[in-house]
Amino acid sequence: MSEKTLKEKAYTMLRALIMQGELRSGEFLSERSLVERMEMSRTPIRAALERLEAEGHVTYTPNRGIFVSEVTIDKAIDVYDFRMIIESSIVRKLASRKLTDELRQWFKESLARQWACVEADDTMQFAQEDSEFHRQLVYAYDNKEIIVTMDRLQDKLYRIALNVLRKDANRIKISYEDHASLVELIEQGQGEEAAAALIQHLEFGKRILLE
């Protein structure tokens, strides 16, 4: 395997461990332990850590080393508040539009995948589906500046969603039901109701984090 391929593999593995919570926020990352855990040499691991640091997933502190970056409660609250403002406006305006058949089909398939996660009690996969669902709302609205901003937040959104879902065993089913209701309101053209439902949905997630 080439050095470039090894670096990519190391990056993919480390990123997955962080995103899935296997390597937790604030956890110290020693090169030695990562070499043993991933069965790789230091070179690709160092390259992966540098890339992850540039993306904000890990933090290097002089004289202390490298740690998994923390999504603090304050950061999470800021993200939730930002999303409430942006996404409530998006669903309100989407409800005033004629939705394409492709978007309607995407919502249908997304809700089916989410329900499969509910039945399987698959928290990790549901967190991914949740992130993709909200991302699709942004893409459907098609404001390029909002898309760029939300794409930049995607990894944080996923980690926050996973934390919320893991704190409340009933949250997967509730989130699915919220999403299903939201789609129905958008398709029925009920913009104000959709915006209110979106805010309530995110407020509930924020409250769980604060408990």
Side-chain angles (χ1 to χ4, degrees):
M1 190 177 291
S2 69
E3 184 176 334
K4 182 178 179 180
T5 306
L6 279 172
K7 288 178 181 179
E8 189 64 33
K9 183 179 179 181
Y11 165 79
T12 301
M13 288 176 65
L14 274 173
R15 184 178 181 279
L17 289 171
I18 292 170
M19 296 296 289
Q20 295 166 9
E22 297 282 334
L23 295 173
R24 298 190 175 276
S25 295
E27 183 173 341
F28 172 68
L29 302 177
S30 76
E31 285 187 4
R32 181 180 296 177
S33 65
L34 291 176
V35 165
E36 293 175 359
R37 181 171 188 166
M38 300 170 65
E39 298 181 338
M40 289 185 184
S41 67
R42 292 176 184 267
T43 300
I45 289 174
R46 282 176 181 166
L49 288 171
E50 288 174 3
R51 184 173 169 185
L52 290 165
E53 183 184 14
E55 293 175 355
H57 291 297
V58 302
T59 303
Y60 172 73
T61 305
N63 303 320
R64 292 189 66 217
I66 298 175
F67 295 81
V68 178
S69 298
E70 294 190 66
V71 181
T72 65
I73 292 296
D74 286 343
K75 279 184 184 177
I77 290 172
D78 286 347
V79 170
Y80 268 109
D81 288 345
F82 172 79
R83 290 180 64 192
M84 283 179 212
I85 295 168
I86 297 298
E87 291 186 44
S88 62
S89 176
I90 285 173
V91 298
R92 183 185 293 111
K93 291 176 180 178
L94 282 179
S96 69
R97 297 180 179 178
K98 186 180 187 317
L99 304 184
T100 65
D101 290 339
E102 289 79 9
L103 182 57
R104 289 177 184 272
Q105 183 63 26
W106 191 92
F107 281 141
K108 182 178 179 181
E109 292 173 358
S110 172
L111 290 172
R113 292 192 299 271
Q114 291 176 49
W115 180 247
C117 293
V118 173
E119 291 189 312
D121 196 25
D122 189 341
T123 301
M124 195 173 298
Q125 183 58 38
F126 188 90
Q128 184 63 47
E129 295 296 341
D130 175 84
S131 179
E132 287 299 322
F133 176 82
H134 286 274
R135 187 179 192 178
Q136 183 62 27
L137 294 174
V138 176
Y139 272 70
Y141 183 53
D142 198 27
N143 178 298
K144 300 299 187 294
E145 291 301 318
I146 295 176
I147 287 172
V148 169
T149 302
M150 294 299 283
D151 275 350
R152 215 176 282 136
L153 286 173
Q154 275 306 302
D155 288 344
K156 284 182 183 175
L157 296 181
Y158 175 83
R159 290 175 67 187
I160 290 169
L162 193 56
N163 287 338
V164 169
L165 294 169
R166 282 174 169 167
K167 286 186 74 172
D168 185 342
N170 298 316
R171 184 60 192 168
I172 293 182
K173 189 169 187 294
I174 293 170
S175 286
Y176 164 79
E177 291 169 348
D178 285 353
H179 291 165
S181 296
L182 189 59
V183 169
E184 186 175 356
L185 290 169
I186 292 171
E187 290 181 336
Q188 291 176 351
Q190 300 183 54
E192 292 304 322
E193 293 83 353
L198 187 285
I199 289 172
Q200 184 178 30
H201 172 66
L202 294 178
E203 280 282 8
F204 186 50
K206 186 168 78 169
R207 285 201 307 273
I208 291 172
L209 275 181
L210 294 173
E211 289 175 357

